[in-house]
Amino acid sequence: MKVVIPGGTGQVGALLARAFLARGDDVVLISRGGRGEARTVSWDGRTLGDWAKEVDGADAVINLAGRSVNCRYTEENLRQMMDSRVDSTRVVGQAIQRASKPPRVWLQMSTATLYAHRLDAPNDEATGIIGGNEPGVPAYWKRSIDIAQAWERTLAEADTPHTRKVALRTAMVMSPDKEGIFDVLLGLTRRGLGGPAGSGQQYVSWIHGQDFVRAVQLLLERDDLAGPVNLAAPNPLPQKELMAKLREAAHVSVGLPAAKWMLEVGAFFMRTDTELLLKSRRVVPGRLLDAGFTFEYPDWGTAVKNLVERWRAGGGPVRS
């Protein structure tokens, strides 16, 4: 089939492109200027152009576009995060709406950050609590929720009656690719910095890259699945336990803890934000499990051993 992936030149896009190409699909990446794993067409992420011709007649669109959240949460960066997500989603919807032969399915990237910071219970699609009003957390964390809700609202408002729409509420996608989140965590661990962040009690939701690809393939094929779907392994765990298992897999004995004030200083110099480390994202994949999806890596202990081995071997393609 033909798959069009706006924003497909990053880590997640590379995972999907490699898997689709390996099974013989026609893959087209839409990018602001990056180079990816497949044929790439340029766009500005805001307006219709020649790129929209690729959408007409495609079987599926998977929109991953959006400014990275790994930055300082300044007003300008927050505006760019909002605009890049809303504008790209809106224009993808316009391209689908105007297509003479619209794709049968549109998978739209979203985020597990949409859910509330909580330790008491997991968030699934049916009973999960949307964040924004949690007591005892920084008020500016609500901005991430606002961005996520605007992202999904733009998808819902798109006038594409012939195209099934799915919002991918995605946790951290763990793959051995360089400069991905796992590469960053492993790098910190190898330097002795892989200890608890703050209390270490905050939950981390994640998904192995192979399971992410397999889940996306399921969602492309299952015409009965629409709306929000959590893409996360079924067993999130506290951050201090996640890092302990990473240290064990990497054969690193020391993991220095980082108090909240230390994280604030480090985040300032690394030009990122502590929300990425301190928010408890306890998200579980209710709809995937109900659909009969079986995770190859449901537990972090098994997943991290595989990831470390593949990282040491130089990464490698994700199996389809």
Side-chain angles (χ1 to χ4, degrees), residues 260-276:
K260 184 177 179 181
W261 70 266
M262 298 169 66
L263 294 172
E264 293 285 358
V265 173
F268 177 81
F269 286 104
M270 294 177 68
R271 304 187 66 78
T272 188
D273 196 273
T274 56
E275 184 205 32
L276 302 175

Side-chain angles (χ1 to χ4, degrees), residues 99-156:
S100 59
K101 186 181 178 183
R104 60 180 179 81
V105 58
W106 170 11
L107 305 187
Q108 172 60 51
M109 181 61 80
S110 182
T111 174
T113 295
L114 181 72
Y115 293 105
H117 167 88
R118 62 189 302 196
L119 303 173
D120 61 324
N123 291 299
D124 64 12
E125 300 91 338
T127 64
I129 299 172
I130 303 301
N133 298 302
E134 306 96 309
V137 303
Y140 78 91
W141 283 13
K142 186 177 184 299
R143 299 291 293 275
S144 296
I145 308 299
D146 294 339
I147 291 169
Q149 290 182 307
W151 209 358
E152 292 195 4
R153 187 167 56 248
T154 306
L155 171 69

Side-chain angles (χ1 to χ4, degrees), residues 75-240:
E75 284 299 322
E76 176 60 20
N77 287 341
L78 287 165
R79 183 191 65 78
Q80 290 183 17
M81 283 192 280
M82 175 72 84
D83 291 351
S84 64
R85 283 159 176 73
V86 169
D87 290 347
S88 61
T89 304
R90 180 183 296 116
V91 78
V92 166
Q94 291 171 353
I96 293 173
Q97 179 183 4
R98 298 186 184 193
S100 59
K101 186 181 178 183
R104 60 180 179 81
V105 58
W106 170 11
L107 305 187
Q108 172 60 51
M109 181 61 80
S110 182
T111 174
T113 295
L114 181 72
Y115 293 105
H117 167 88
R118 62 189 302 196
L119 303 173
D120 61 324
N123 291 299
D124 64 12
E125 300 91 338
T127 64
I129 299 172
I130 303 301
N133 298 302
E134 306 96 309
V137 303
Y140 78 91
W141 283 13
K142 186 177 184 299
R143 299 291 293 275
S144 296
I145 308 299
D146 294 339
I147 291 169
Q149 290 182 307
W151 209 358
E152 292 195 4
R153 187 167 56 248
T154 306
L155 171 69
E157 292 172 351
D159 186 12
T160 57
H162 304 293
T163 301
R164 176 170 56 94
K165 298 184 287 189
V166 181
L168 309 177
R169 293 180 177 174
T170 308
M172 290 191 295
V173 179
M174 299 292 191
S175 78
D177 296 285
K178 301 302 181 185
E179 299 182 3
I181 181 62
F182 180 75
D183 185 44
V184 172
L185 292 176
L186 182 57
L188 291 171
T189 299
R190 296 173 73 223
R191 291 193 291 273
L193 301 175
S199 71
Q201 298 294 330
Q202 66 274 21
Y203 276 78
V204 179
S205 287
W206 57 276
I207 185 168
H208 191 291
Q210 290 180 195
D211 283 329
F212 174 82
V213 169
R214 293 175 56 249
V216 165
Q217 290 173 342
L218 174 78
L219 293 172
L220 291 176
E221 296 163 1
R222 287 282 296 268
D223 291 336
D224 59 322
L225 293 174
V229 177
N230 292 348
L231 268 60
N235 296 302
L237 70 171
Q239 186 268 345
K240 66 178 182 180

Side-chain angles (χ1 to χ4, degrees), residues 206 211 232-236 283-285 289 295 297-299:
W206 57 276
D211 283 329
N235 296 302
V283 179
V284 293
L289 294 175
F295 284 81
Y297 297 96
D299 300 299

